[in-house]
């Protein structure tokens, strides 16, 4: 894991509280773990930035959701994590952070190509192929979120994938040319910061409405699989706590937490 200096990260200026700080790392096990280690050193530091963004050329143990891993060729893709402190956000509303980062990613990638959507809860798809994934780890305190670390991978310039992931795609495979990773990263972070401001100002409805409008499979019946087997259903809504609500062909309403239902795409 790369070493860091609090002085070099945050400096001594009172302006640091309003800044977004970027930390470049050559190699680390994961940017989420990097920020966790950084967070442990910050007790008593008064001028911590509003957002701290760690990004790496390579991760030795990049994680997807659950036990999944994230394949990424060195120096080709975006591997980054964001540290923020939405202490004003009640625990029961924490899913809106997931919606905000998904919207920021969708918006930024849509500047390069059509066909970008949000697959519940926060994967980013180009048509039926996955271009980005995110994991979020919150520390809770007193009914609110104390610390939030958002870890994201975006396939940018990688041309070939070798893992058993079923449907990866990179921006280069879509548009046929390389994209400047830092330009894309700063665009994503700027958009996320703006959505975070909306949340802090109580503009939840706008974010929820946008999230639903860009949702993958938002219209029509598609195939899914749960513990009871395969079925066809249409998305009704995503609840405030993040549960996915489906209506099956028998007109029954089904509610799922993350990992309780599978989208059947390539079978």
């Amino acid at each position: 894991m790369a070493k860091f200096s609090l002085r070099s990260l945050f400096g001594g200026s009172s302006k640091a509280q309003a800044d977004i700080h970027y930390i470049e790392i050559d190699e680390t096990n994961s940017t989420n773990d990097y920020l966790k280690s950084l967070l442990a050193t910050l007790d008593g530091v008064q001028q911590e930035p509003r957002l701290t963004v760690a990004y790496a050329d390579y991760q030795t143990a990049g994680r997807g959701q659950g036990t999944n891993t994230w394949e990424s060729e060195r120096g080709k893709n975006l591997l980054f994590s964001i540290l923020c402190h939405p202490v004003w956000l009640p625990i029961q509303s924490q899913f809106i952070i997931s919606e905000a980062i998904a919207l920021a990613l969708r918006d930024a990638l849509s500047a390069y190509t059509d066909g970008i959507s949000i697959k519940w809860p926060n994967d980013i798809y180009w048509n039926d192929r996955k271009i980005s994934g995110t994991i979020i780890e919150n520390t809770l305190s007193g009914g609110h979120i104390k610390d939030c670390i958002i870890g994201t991978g975006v396939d940018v310039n990688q041309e070939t994938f070798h893992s058993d992931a079923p449907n990866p795609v990179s921006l280069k495979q879509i548009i046929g040319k390389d994209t400047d990773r830092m330009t894309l990263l700063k665009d994503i972070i700027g958009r996320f910061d703006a959505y975070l401001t909306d949340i802090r100002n109580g503009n939840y409805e706008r974010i929820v409405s946008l999230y639903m409008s860009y949702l993958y499979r938002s219209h029509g019946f598609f195939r899914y699989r749960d513990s009871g087997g395969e079925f066809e259903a249409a998305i009704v809504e995503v609840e405030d706590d993040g549960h996915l609500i489906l209506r099956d062909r028998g007109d029954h309403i089904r509610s799922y937490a993350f990992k309780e239902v599978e989208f059947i795409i390539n079978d």
Side-chain angles (χ1 to χ4, degrees):
M1 179 176 292
K3 295 181 180 179
F4 53 83
S5 161
L6 289 180
R7 180 176 297 275
S8 65
L9 293 182
F10 305 140
S13 168
S14 62
K15 295 181 180 179
Q17 183 65 34
D19 288 342
I20 299 172
H21 284 256
Y22 292 84
I23 306 169
E24 182 178 7
I25 309 165
D26 176 46
E27 180 177 312
T28 185
N29 57 347
S30 85
T31 52
N32 264 33
D33 289 346
Y34 179 93
L35 285 182
K36 288 179 191 176
S37 296
L38 174 62
L39 186 60
T41 72
L42 295 182
D43 287 342
V45 176
Q46 299 300 314
Q47 294 179 345
E48 187 180 346
R50 183 176 69 254
L51 298 178
T52 300
V53 182
Y55 62 101
D57 262 359
Y58 185 68
Q59 290 184 145
T60 58
R63 288 181 288 136
Q65 294 284 2
T67 59
N68 298 335
T69 58
W70 185 268
E71 177 193 355
S72 182
E73 187 178 342
R74 181 184 292 274
K76 293 291 187 179
N77 301 320
L78 271 183
L79 309 168
F80 67 94
S81 295
I82 307 166
L83 170 63
C84 59
H85 308 281
V87 295
W88 30 265
L89 186 65
I91 291 173
Q92 63 268 25
S93 300
Q94 61 185 294
F95 185 70
I96 202 163
I97 297 289
S98 182
E99 293 175 312
I101 187 61
L103 284 169
L105 288 158
R106 192 223 71 92
D107 292 350
L109 289 168
S110 291
Y112 297 87
T113 181
D114 295 332
I116 302 293
S117 62
I118 300 168
K119 177 177 170 287
W120 174 85
N122 53 29
D123 286 343
I124 305 301
Y125 267 46
W126 174 73
N127 296 328
D128 290 324
R129 301 177 69 184
K130 181 176 177 178
I131 191 171
S132 175
T134 294
I135 58 173
I136 299 176
E137 300 176 271
N138 291 326
T139 302
L140 309 178
S141 177
H144 289 74
I145 301 174
K146 180 175 180 285
D147 308 307
C148 177
I149 296 178
I150 302 162
T152 296
V154 183
D155 293 325
V156 182
N157 295 323
Q158 187 161 335
E159 297 184 70
T160 306
F161 295 89
H162 304 284
S163 74
D164 58 359
N167 58 343
V169 69
S170 71
L171 193 54
K172 183 169 186 177
Q173 289 175 324
I174 298 168
I175 66 175
K177 61 182 180 180
D178 281 349
T179 296
D180 184 86
R181 291 179 297 152
M182 197 64 192
T183 298
L184 178 57
L185 175 61
K186 289 193 172 182
D187 188 22
I188 293 166
I189 299 303
R191 293 174 188 271
F192 174 70
D193 191 38
Y195 281 123
L196 207 59
T197 298
D198 275 348
I199 296 170
R200 186 162 192 167
N201 291 336
N203 298 329
Y204 290 23
E205 287 188 10
R206 174 176 178 266
I207 291 174
V208 171
S209 176
L210 286 170
Y211 177 86
M212 289 301 301
S213 71
Y214 297 132
L215 203 59
Y216 177 71
R217 292 187 171 179
S218 59
H219 301 290
F221 282 81
F222 295 90
R223 295 162 63 206
Y224 298 87
R225 184 182 294 115
D226 64 10
S227 59
E230 185 178 323
F231 62 97
E232 289 190 347
I235 293 176
V236 176
E237 65 174 336
V238 177
E239 294 184 323
D240 291 346
D241 63 1
H243 278 73
L244 178 67
I245 308 301
L246 301 177
R247 177 172 56 86
D248 65 25
R249 289 287 191 181
D251 215 27
H252 301 110
I253 297 298
R254 302 173 179 233
S255 175
Y256 296 97
F258 183 56
K259 288 292 188 183
E260 291 181 348
V261 66
E262 175 188 355
F263 289 59
I264 299 176
I265 298 172
N266 293 324
D267 281 10

